[in-house]
């Protein structure tokens, strides 16, 4: 049976159709989840797309956090289901406390819309397992509030526990910390995306769904979308996400 | 009949926590020479939210504002907030 992945549509989401397209290319069946509905249907994975949910008023992602669908998404995540937030979706997950850290106003104060190089930290996570090799991936960013922040002790813990999944890098694959031209927003330690402690919820600021076809410049993002789909297949058939011989995600997530 | 309800007016002042880089504050600081102002430093840009709460007494109203300030108006990872009672006369409109 084809894997069904829910794509949440908030008022102001604008990358939902790109996410639909990328999920189809990755072999899944995308399903629209409306923000006012608390019913996930029979999806086995969830993608929170980019955009400006609820206008990004107050702080990006915070008002979306209190929508009916997010209570159900939190419950799904608590049961170990895979959830990926992209850009604004990452901001929503961070505001909801489903992934660690916060996304602050870009250091340069400007909205940044350009291609970046994204270095996967590890290839054995539920959201990086289908990336073919650990090399910089080309994909766009488009955000005004993407500067990853956590206090130093939390940053140390995230690195120690393997929760940092992606960092901004130079085209040569060197990690780009704040101040480096290859870091678009001043994210601490170059962090572009992180996972929760259990490993089944992750968010990133760059747009893998927009880099899913060679025709439009890059298909480097497809490995991330495929990873979500494969992990969703795992979860729906076994109730956990396994990579290789060991469980990648603890059964009692969160 | 339920308890008598009065209206209470508050301001919630939200500011970036110490140690958090505030590029807006830096931009303000950099503009000061253009105004011929010197000696100003440590600019931090925050947000002020004013609101009215209908409640039985001021303590109950304040409890509502505390919850709102901590859950919605500020992100405790990066921002601090202060609640400031305002004269009810300001509630007009």
């Amino acid at each position: 049976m084809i894997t069904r992945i829910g794509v949440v549509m908030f008022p102001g989401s604008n990358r939902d159709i790109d996410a639909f397209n990328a999920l189809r290319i990755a072999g899944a069946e995308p399903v629209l989840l409306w923000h006012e509905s608390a019913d996930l249907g029979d999806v086995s994975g969830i993608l929170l797309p980019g955009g400006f949910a609820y206008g990004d008023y107050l702080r990006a992602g915070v008002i979306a956090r209190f929508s009916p669908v997010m209570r159900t998404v939190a419950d799904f995540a608590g049961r170990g289901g895979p959830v990926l937030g992209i850009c604004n979706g990452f901001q929503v997950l961070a505001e909801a406390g489903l992934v660690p850290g916060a996304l602050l106003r870009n250091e340069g104060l400007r909205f940044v819309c350009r291609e970046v190089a994204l270095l996967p930290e590890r290839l054995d996570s539920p959201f990086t397992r289908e990336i073919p090799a650990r090399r910089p991936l080309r994909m766009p960013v488009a955000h005004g509030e993407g500067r990853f922040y956590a206090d130093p002790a939390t940053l140390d813990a995230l690195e120690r526990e393997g929760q940092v999944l992606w960092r901004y890098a130079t085209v040569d694959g060197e990690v780009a910390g704040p101040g480096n031209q290859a870091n678009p927003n001043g994210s601490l330690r170059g962090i572009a995306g992180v996972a929760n402690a259990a490993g089944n919820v992750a968010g990133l600021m760059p747009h893998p769904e927009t880099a899913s076809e060679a025709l439009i410049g890059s298909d480097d993002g497809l490995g991330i979308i495929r990873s979500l789909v494969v992990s969703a297949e795992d979860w729906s058939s076994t109730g956990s996400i396994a990579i290789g011989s060991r469980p990648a995600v603890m059964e009692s997530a969160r | 009949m339920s308890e008598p309800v009065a209206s209470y007016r508050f301001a919630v002042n939200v500011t970036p926590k110490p140690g958090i880089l505030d590029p807006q504050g830096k931009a303000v600081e950099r503009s000061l020479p253009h105004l011929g102002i010197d000696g100003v430093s440590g600019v931090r840009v925050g947000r002020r939210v004013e609101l009215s709460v209908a409640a039985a007494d001021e303590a109950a109203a304040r409890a509502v504002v505390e919850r709102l300030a901590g859950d919605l108006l500020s992100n405790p990872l990066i921002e601090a907030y202060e609640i400031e009672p305002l004269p009810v006369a300001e509630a007009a409109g």
Side-chain angles (χ1 to χ4, degrees):
Chain A
M1 207 185 89
I2 192 159
T3 303
R4 288 159 68 86
I5 306 281
V7 176
V8 177
M9 193 186 278
F10 296 107
S13 294
N14 63 13
R15 299 292 185 117
D16 35 4
I17 301 305
D18 302 73
F20 260 57
N21 181 52
L23 284 165
R24 285 203 182 103
I25 294 170
E29 183 189 342
V31 177
L32 173 71
L33 299 176
W34 185 238
H35 66 108
E36 283 185 334
S37 167
D39 181 12
L40 298 182
D42 59 351
V43 303
S44 44
I46 294 174
L47 193 158
L48 302 186
F52 300 87
Y54 296 88
D56 271 358
Y57 294 124
L58 201 56
R59 286 186 312 281
V62 67
I63 295 179
R65 170 198 165 185
F66 294 102
S67 61
V69 74
M70 283 307 295
R71 282 195 287 275
T72 324
V73 169
D75 175 65
F76 179 83
R79 288 186 282 125
V83 180
L84 177 66
I86 297 172
C87 194
N88 194 223
F90 182 18
Q91 294 165 336
V92 174
L93 290 175
E95 280 289 346
L98 292 173
V99 294
L103 286 316
L104 297 174
R105 179 78 69 98
N106 292 348
E107 186 168 7
L109 288 172
R110 289 199 178 86
F111 189 96
V112 176
C113 187
R114 66 172 168 91
E115 186 176 285
V116 297
L118 185 70
L119 187 66
E121 187 93 346
R122 45 186 293 197
L123 301 182
D124 60 349
S125 85
F127 302 96
T128 56
R129 60 196 294 180
E130 295 292 309
I131 297 172
R134 190 167 178 270
R135 61 165 179 83
L137 307 170
R138 291 188 305 119
M139 63 189 75
V141 290
H143 60 249
E145 289 156 57
R147 174 166 48 108
F148 185 81
Y149 172 85
D151 62 59
T154 303
L155 291 172
D156 289 345
L158 294 179
E159 290 178 337
R160 197 171 55 240
E161 302 300 325
Q163 288 175 250
V164 176
L165 298 188
W166 302 279
R167 297 189 206 245
Y168 300 107
T170 65
V171 287
D172 301 323
E174 218 164 287
V175 170
N180 187 313
Q181 288 291 309
N183 181 327
N185 50 33
S187 286
L188 296 181
R189 303 190 192 179
I191 294 173
V194 293
N196 65 344
N200 67 308
V201 183
L204 78 167
M205 288 311 298
H207 286 281
E209 84 287 15
T210 319
S212 55
E213 284 177 281
L215 180 69
I216 52 173
S218 170
D219 61 1
D220 282 358
L222 200 52
I224 294 171
I225 305 298
R226 277 211 184 100
S227 297
L228 167 66
V229 173
V230 172
S231 293
E233 281 165 7
D234 264 12
W235 187 73
S236 73
S237 57
T238 68
S240 69
I241 303 171
I243 292 170
S245 56
R246 63 176 188 82
V249 170
M250 281 170 277
E251 298 247 355
S252 57
R254 282 213 296 175
Chain B
M1 285 294 289
S2 58
E3 300 170 61
V5 167
S7 182
Y8 298 91
R9 185 97 180 139
F10 296 90
V12 180
N13 299 309
V14 180
T15 47
K17 281 188 172 171
I20 303 261
L21 173 68
D22 175 24
Q24 289 187 92
K26 292 264 183 267
V28 171
E29 272 179 39
R30 280 196 301 270
S31 76
L32 295 176
H34 301 299
L35 281 78
I37 293 173
D38 56 16
V40 175
S41 62
V43 179
R44 311 283 283 169
V45 177
R47 178 189 296 117
R48 177 181 170 93
V49 182
E50 297 183 352
L51 47 89
S52 298
V53 185
D57 55 43
E58 181 164 358
R62 194 177 253 280
V64 171
V65 180
E66 282 281 354
R67 184 171 163 231
L68 187 59
D71 285 356
L72 177 66
L73 301 180
S74 74
N75 178 339
L77 285 181
I78 51 175
E79 292 166 327
Y81 67 84
E82 274 176 5
I83 296 174
E84 179 188 330
L86 297 178
V88 175
E90 283 187 36

